[in-house]
Structure formats: structure tokens, C-alpha cells
Amino acid sequence: MGEQVLRVTVWNENVHETTEPEVAERYPEGIHGAIAQGLLDDHGDGIRVRTATLADPEHGLTEDVLASTDVLTWWGHKAHQQVSDEVVDRVQQHVLAGMGLVVLHSGHLSKIFRRLLGTTCNLNWRSEQDRELVWTVDPTHPIARGVPHPIVIDRQEMYGEFFDIPAPDELIFISSFTGGEVFRSGCTFRRGNGKIFYFSPGDQAFPVYHHPDVRRVIANGVAWAAPAGQRTVPTLRNRPVGWFE
């Protein structure tokens, strides 16, 4: 990337926030807003961030948007099946061409993640306000930069093994929970020219995306997933609208 500004699109289905008052209170700018702010706080002038949601035309993921996106982050939960297959096709093509993808929490069941990984991506879960400890198992990895060992999340949904994913290219974090479960909570994959990072902490029922260490991991993941070189995707003539400054 050199000195180029990192261009990130933060995608969120934005269903819980618009239908459940307690989630809207927890995330008044939406989960996407909290994630976007965390990226801006970490990267400063080195990043431009815009957001897109399920309700936007073409889910906010038009060809022009994706062509001008270096890294796409993805959060979904209730509405995976409402995501258009045409949009999933488009996102897949851009990942294979080199766009980075950061999949968060229940995005493990999203159409795009399942398609790129080729497995069910099912896991065990329990939502009883568990304490989660996120342990770094690869401290030399760029995504682990500046991350404490462990990250302590006082209240969180439990995600546990077995997690039906292919063997990750890199395992960076594992989590343990008060019930004794463990989970591969931070791992990477490569598909085509694109890099994928999955990071599990972040249920809508808890304020996890306000946690500074979780924000740091996501910011590191976005920087890691950025394309290493030029992508074979269309170039826009004009700067796209909707950027957060």
C-alpha cells in the first residue's frame, strides 16, 4: 500500500439496531458505526471509511463501491438469507481479485464466508454472559500488534468448537470461556489474491465493539488484509460518495 490511504467499507446488516431498542441503545450509530469509529480512531489520516447496510440499494455493495474498496468488513446475524446472491457473487469476485475481507462474529454463517471457505462454518454457542479470554497464539503476527495477552471481555456470547472451517492458514487467537469451552477466534485464509481474517468477539447483545482491544484487533486485521498490489478491478473516474472523514 505504501503511503496510499486505506479504503475500507464497513458492512452491517443493521437489523438488530433497527428492530430492538436495547441494541439501538448499545449501538446508537449501529454496529457499523462503532466499527467505523474504531478504525478511524486507530488509523487516523491513513484511512477512509464508509458504511453500507442490507437496506441500501444493492446492499450498498455496488460494483463501483467494491472497486474502490481495499478491505470490506462484514457483520451479519439475522438476515444472512436476505443477502442477494448477485451481491455475494460480486463480493466473491473482488476478494479473488485481491480485496481484503474481515468477517466478524456471526458473519461466520454469511453466504460470502461459507462460499469462500466451502464448509458449513457451523459452531457451538451459548448466550449466557460468559467471560471470554482471547489468547494470542501467534504474537509475531501483524494482527496481534499491541494486543494484550489475553484480551479480557467480561460479557460475551460463547462460541465453541467444533468450528467447521478448513484448517486456517494462520491461527492467531484462541478464546476460552467460563464454561470451559475453547474456540479458534482469530484466523486467516487466502482465496485467490485476497486475504480473509475471521475474528469472533462481537455479539449484538453486548458492547464488545466499544472494547478498545477488540477495536485494535479489527484495525490490525484491516491493515493486514489490504491488497499488496494493483487489483484487476474497474477504476472510478470520480471519488465515490459516502466516505467518513
Side-chain angles (χ1 to χ4, degrees):
M1 291 298 296
E3 297 181 355
Q4 293 181 350
V5 173
L6 182 60
R7 304 167 302 175
V8 179
T9 298
V10 175
W11 193 87
N12 170 33
E13 68 180 34
N14 198 37
V15 172
H16 289 283
E17 302 95 311
T18 56
T19 59
E20 301 173 29
E22 65 276 13
V23 179
E25 182 177 356
R26 192 172 299 118
Y27 293 107
E29 303 300 323
I31 288 173
H32 51 292
I35 293 169
Q37 189 60 55
L39 292 174
L40 290 167
D41 290 346
D42 191 276
H43 287 284
D45 293 337
I47 196 169
R48 288 208 305 264
V49 183
R50 62 182 163 196
T51 62
T53 67
L54 181 71
D56 295 333
E58 299 182 60
H59 311 321
L61 299 175
T62 64
E63 180 63 36
D64 286 351
V65 165
L66 292 175
S68 61
T69 295
D70 296 315
V71 181
L72 173 66
T73 74
W74 192 282
W75 195 100
H77 184 215
K78 296 182 71 173
H80 297 310
Q81 295 308 311
Q82 296 179 37
V83 177
S84 161
D85 289 337
E86 181 180 356
V87 170
V88 174
D89 292 342
R90 189 181 302 153
V91 173
Q92 179 186 22
Q93 291 168 2
H94 279 269
V95 171
L96 296 177
M99 182 183 73
L101 179 65
V102 176
V103 177
L104 301 170
H105 193 59
S106 46
H108 70 93
L109 287 180
S110 63
K111 288 182 177 180
I112 184 60
F113 194 59
R114 283 178 147 178
R115 180 181 295 182
L116 287 165
L117 268 59
T119 57
T120 69
C121 300
N122 288 333
L123 49 78
N124 289 317
W125 63 275
R126 180 183 65 250
S127 188
E128 294 181 358
Q129 301 194 39
D130 278 71
R131 185 187 69 168
E132 178 177 3
L133 301 178
V134 183
W135 302 93
T136 302
V137 297
D138 186 356
T140 66
H141 199 284
I143 295 178
R145 176 184 58 84
V147 175
H149 179 69
I151 299 172
V152 180
I153 304 173
D154 291 329
R155 295 183 301 127
Q156 168 65 319
E157 180 180 31
M158 187 281 293
Y159 272 12
E161 297 291 342
F162 174 61
F163 187 17
D164 184 20
I165 55 174
D169 293 328
E170 300 160 307
L171 181 61
I172 306 165
F173 305 108
I174 59 172
S175 289
S176 60
F177 295 86
T178 48
E181 300 89 353
V182 296
F183 186 70
R184 289 169 288 171
S185 53
C187 44
T188 70
F189 307 88
R190 287 167 176 81
R191 293 294 184 270
N193 292 322
K195 293 187 284 187
I196 302 167
F197 174 51
Y198 174 74
F199 188 55
S200 64
D203 188 67
Q204 76 283 346
F206 309 104
V208 179
Y209 291 119
H210 299 300
H211 193 301
D213 298 328
V214 170
R215 286 184 166 194
R216 168 57 62 87
V217 171
I218 296 171
N220 289 350
V222 163
W224 172 84
Q230 195 71 23
R231 284 164 51 199
T232 56
V233 292
T235 301
L236 295 180
R237 296 177 181 174
N238 301 311
R239 173 178 167 171
V241 298
W243 293 103
F244 280 63
E245 297 290 359

